[in-house]
Amino acid sequence: MSIRPWRCLFLLLCALSLAAPVAGGLLLLLLEGLTRGHVSLLLPQPGLWHSAGLSLWVAGASTLGALIFTALLLAQGEGRPWMRWLRRLLSPLLALPHVAFAIGVAFLLAPSGWLLRLISPALTGFDLPPDWQTLKDPWGLGLILALILKETPFLLLMALSALDPARVSRQQWLGQTMGFSGPQIWWRLLLPALWPALRLPLYAVAAYGLGVVDLALLLGPDAPAPLAVRLWLWYQDPGLQWRGASASGALLLLALNLLLLAALRLLEWGQGALGKARWLDGRRAPAAPWPALVARTAVWGLILTNLLVLASLLLWSLARRWSFPALWPSEWSGRHWLELLPTLGPLLWQSLWLALLCAALSLLLAVLALEAQQGRRTPDRQWPLWLICLPLLLPQASLLFGLRLQIDWLDAVDGIGPGWVLWSQLLFVFPYVYLCLHGPYRQFDDRLTRAALSLGASPWRAWWRVKGPLLARPLLFAFGVGAAVSLAQYLPTLLFGAGRVVTITTEAVAIGSGLNRRLAGLYGLLQLLLPLFIYGLVLWLPRRINPALRP
């Protein structure tokens, strides 16, 4: 008996549990946010439009910066040793959570941070930290830099997953026989063909930058803060009228998101219309040395920044006395580790089981969704990717406020707790896992499973013995990405946990926003160790599952 009807029924139930609440939450957000009283409370708020413009600026600049960075690495990295190093380090770079990275960046960029200590007092003459606003600057430059450095590895992973190595080799060979240099082949042929696969991940990066709360609390400006941060602060206000104002603000944030995505689409259209003549002009030119130098410098800068972030977290967690401008702590102490580790077991366990369960459910849903599409090779019969990734294309604050309104409207007395936190995280983890698997699944040769079926194997056995082992690496990597994304969820945990569900991320943001650098370094390092442990298993297991991957 075929398993396809059962699979489709399961997918239908999943669609009802994921898609229907999203639609209902957005509808309630629309009805609640357009109430006259709530709008009249929102609009007179001082600095409202400054916050809106700041959110657009941070999201637009970080998105374009990450896109240019990714395109430069792809065009200049073919055959380069630094590109091979970057591919090997993609997993650790993705494993570093946004919050831990932001805490480490704050340790580096602060007026008393490590970067200024490296050149003080020899080059600066500073014996005391200068009165500089390097963190929470009014332009949000520190937040933009952190977003670019964190989103570039994600875009690069999406690009590498979508590339077919055999097809790329043929196109490069054809371009070289026609006299084009390697970067020219990428800019004129490969990158334009790759753009459709990068469009939705780029939109997801833009929506995340627009609605980010945790990173903005740590690195973003606060006078005024970006719109998403102000929405969260209004939602926490004890006055019930501010709940309605936050719903109106969430609608404004949603409108800004649509405006940003429309601007990106217009930019794409303009680049295609104006750049097509240059792509097809047939000019041959030797590769200029400076783009490769810029790309190589940027890659090593990215790797070095992540290493410095890791080192700063470790040093501050062990420092007892570290006065400016000393490069190293003058006194060391493991007191915080010894005092806190025995009490952190429940916190770490709760964070870990939520991440593993959420990643496992997301992987199961993604595999079933992709399997249900097997045989649908024509584009008009493929499931629309934008619909699956819709939670990533909307600001997280807008979507979550709508879902919370829906739970309150249904009068769900148990509307907070681990189950609701798991469900809210699943909305965002599943699209990431699906994006990681979409490319490898499309590139898989289905003749292998058809051969197994023709030999009498059942569909489940053919997948378990043939397809699963061959896709072990992307499957486990997608699981690792899902676990890392779940561990990094801040706003869903707070909204649907309401203090009853505490994870290492919520604690890291709360402590990182304070003045105790030693505790901030400790919690940031612990938040990093959990995804690193998961990614380590992800890199180790494929060779145990698929003998062909063993050396």
Side-chain angles (χ1 to χ4, degrees), residues 13-49:
L13 293 175
C14 292
L16 292 176
S17 63
L18 297 178
V22 170
L26 292 177
L27 178 61
L28 274 179
L29 185 66
L30 185 65
L31 296 176
E32 184 81 11
L34 291 180
T35 304
R36 183 175 180 179
H38 298 158
V39 175
S40 62
L41 180 61
L42 172 72
L43 293 181
Q45 293 304 310
L48 175 67
W49 299 110

Side-chain angles (χ1 to χ4, degrees), residues 524-544:
L525 197 61
L526 286 176
Q527 197 207 15
L528 167 63
L529 291 178
L530 289 180
L532 275 181
F533 169 74
I534 295 172
Y535 272 110
L537 289 178
V538 164
L539 295 176
W540 175 78
L541 282 176
R543 295 182 179 181
R544 303 301 181 271

Side-chain angles (χ1 to χ4, degrees), residues 245-293:
S246 63
S248 300
L251 274 184
L252 176 59
L253 189 66
L254 187 60
L256 294 177
N257 183 68
L258 296 177
L259 179 63
L260 179 61
L261 297 187
L264 289 175
R265 184 65 174 172
L266 183 62
L267 183 63
E268 175 193 348
W269 177 84
Q271 170 66 15
L274 300 177
K276 185 176 293 186
R278 188 165 182 266
W279 298 338
L280 302 177
D281 61 6
R283 292 184 182 179
R284 279 77 166 171
W290 65 267
L293 178 62

Side-chain angles (χ1 to χ4, degrees), residues 222-254:
D222 52 9
L227 184 57
V229 176
R230 298 188 69 179
L231 294 182
W232 173 236
L233 296 177
W234 290 336
Y235 186 85
Q236 291 179 297
D237 194 280
L240 294 180
Q241 71 275 13
W242 287 104
R243 295 289 180 95
S246 63
S248 300
L251 274 184
L252 176 59
L253 189 66
L254 187 60

Side-chain angles (χ1 to χ4, degrees), residues 337-388:
W337 286 94
L338 296 175
E339 291 180 354
L340 288 177
L341 275 184
T343 63
L344 288 178
L347 177 66
L348 295 176
W349 170 243
Q350 183 158 254
S351 304
L352 188 61
W353 78 256
L354 269 174
L356 294 178
L357 183 56
C358 190
L361 290 174
S362 300
L363 183 64
L364 176 63
L365 290 176
V367 169
L368 289 174
L370 290 166
E371 285 293 326
Q373 300 178 73
Q374 293 302 304
R376 299 185 175 193
R377 293 303 182 189
T378 55
D380 58 330
R381 299 186 65 190
Q382 288 289 335
W383 292 5
L385 192 58
W386 66 267
L387 187 60
I388 294 175

